Amino acid sequence: MKKTAITYGTFDLFHYGHLRLFQRIKEFSDYLIVAVSTDEFNQLKGKKTIIPFENRIEIVKNIRYVDKVIAEESWDQKLNDIKNYNVNFLVMGDDWKGKFDELNNYCEVIYLPRTDGISSSLLKNSLSGFRNLDISSINSALEILQQIRNQLS
Ligand code: C2G
């Protein structure tokens, strides 16, 4: 019997933490629905994103483990989604541990360990770091590289 899982998220700057989550969900389910937070919902969540919703959902849709994508537009759509799609498992990373336990009455709620060392905010911070890099430090780095090349040649 086909086991359906659903997970919810922003999936900004898609990275291997998101990928590992999908991979692990498909180890115990046959069909994975991913609900991607819209830009408007992220505003409600107080979450700034770099990549617009249209592109975030396009990337998620093309991940091999994902069978269907839907928009996540509100906190309280989960129960409807569980009923509409006959969901067996609601799966989230364990930063959400306990937050959706009330839905255990409708499906199995599973929290999986987050993947260490990566997060969209980590990527955002390093990107903003580069943005602040001024042209003079780039030039001096280039000079050093040129000197090294001269010594090597
Ligand atoms: N995640 C993970 N490992 C990471 C980063 C994220 O397992 N290194 C998981 C999170 O635990 C979450 C999912 O990937 O289950 C998506 O993470 P976000 O895009 O940050 O989603 P979030 O903003 O937490 O939105 O209604 C639920 C919310 O929409 C979840």
Side-chain angles (χ1 to χ4, degrees):
M1 209 266 264
K2 192 175 83 168
K3 293 281 185 197
T4 298
I6 196 167
T7 189
Y8 295 77
T10 302
F11 303 106
D12 194 23
L13 298 173
F14 194 87
H15 55 67
Y16 62 87
H18 302 135
L19 183 66
R20 298 267 180 287
L21 175 72
F22 296 168
Q23 273 172 328
R24 285 177 292 163
I25 294 174
K26 289 307 277 295
E27 283 167 10
F28 56 83
S29 62
D30 316 287
Y31 193 83
L32 172 56
I33 303 168
V34 181
V36 180
S37 314
T38 60
D39 295 333
E40 296 74 17
F41 181 48
N42 273 319
Q43 271 167 6
L44 219 67
K45 287 187 331 192
K47 194 155 187 175
K48 282 195 179 355
T49 51
I50 302 259
I51 310 296
F53 170 72
E54 290 313 316
N55 303 122
R56 288 186 285 110
I57 201 164
E58 181 189 3
I59 291 168
V60 171
K61 188 187 288 186
N62 285 282
I63 301 291
R64 138 150 91 94
Y65 302 103
V66 177
D67 299 291
K68 182 180 181 60
V69 289
I70 61 173
E72 181 186 27
E73 296 169 297
S74 73
W75 287 114
D76 49 24
Q77 73 179 69
K78 295 183 175 67
L79 182 49
N80 284 337
D81 293 340
I82 288 165
K83 289 178 180 167
N84 289 345
Y85 300 109
N86 299 313
V87 168
N88 304 92
F89 309 112
L90 166 61
V91 189
M92 297 297 292
D94 59 6
D95 48 317
W96 289 93
K97 194 163 182 59
K99 298 288 190 307
F100 305 118
D101 287 357
E102 76 282 356
L103 293 168
N104 262 310
N105 298 319
Y106 305 94
C107 71
E108 191 177 344
V109 179
I110 298 168
Y111 302 103
L112 296 175
R114 279 172 67 92
T115 300
D116 284 338
I118 185 78
S119 70
S120 306
S121 30
L122 195 76
L123 293 173
K124 268 180 256 178
N125 295 343
S126 46
L127 280 175
S128 59
F130 279 119
R131 197 171 43 231
N132 300 337
L133 206 58
D134 57 68
I135 196 71
S136 63
S137 38
I138 293 171
N139 283 337
S140 48
L142 287 173
E143 274 165 34
I144 294 165
L145 283 172
Q146 190 56 48
Q147 284 163 16
I148 294 168
R149 275 182 58 188
N150 295 344
Q151 280 163 13
L152 292 175
S153 54

